[in-house]
Amino acid sequence: MQIAALIGGRPPEPFEKARVTVTRFSIGVPDHDNLVGSVKDLCDCMTTPSLMANGKVRNKFGIGLIRDDSPVHCELVVLGVKCRRAEQRTEVVIEEIVG
């Protein structure tokens, strides 16, 4: 995976509430359940690591863009768009939800 651009830089603090829109451009559009399931690892890496009661670290590889990927903290939108082979890519937009 390659991050092409983090427009505006990394936020000083993780977003407490965010809308994460993942758009997958590919030559074929997968079933909705496969499309949503395919972003699990991506969502996990955007979260903030936290220490659990048993001493283990939850989301230890998280980069801290969003507080958590639970529905309380993250509104997830996943879209599939058909395109030509040369145009295949995945775009991720993270927007802070205030209020």
Side-chain angles (χ1 to χ4, degrees):
M1 180 187 310
Q2 178 184 12
I3 298 176
L6 193 53
I7 299 168
R10 191 172 174 173
E13 294 289 325
F15 295 147
E16 287 297 322
K17 179 91 174 161
R19 178 178 303 105
V20 177
T21 304
V22 180
T23 307
R24 176 184 163 176
F25 295 86
S26 59
I27 56 174
V29 178
D31 296 340
H32 182 73
D33 58 335
N34 290 327
L35 190 61
V36 173
S38 69
V39 300
K40 182 186 180 345
D41 290 337
L42 175 65
C43 287
D44 287 346
C45 80
M46 289 186 289
T47 62
T48 303
S50 60
L51 188 61
M52 296 188 301
N54 63 5
K56 292 185 178 183
V57 177
R58 181 172 178 241
N59 296 325
K60 66 181 175 181
F61 298 112
I63 60 174
L65 296 175
I66 60 176
R67 178 67 56 208
D68 191 60
D69 61 355
S70 69
V72 173
H73 297 280
C74 180
E75 179 184 308
L76 182 62
V77 179
V78 185
L79 306 169
V81 177
K82 193 170 183 174
C83 68
R84 290 192 228 149
R85 183 176 302 276
E87 299 169 336
Q88 294 183 108
R89 65 193 181 281
T90 300
E91 293 179 358
V92 180
V93 176
I94 305 167
E95 302 168 280
E96 184 173 23
I97 298 174
V98 181

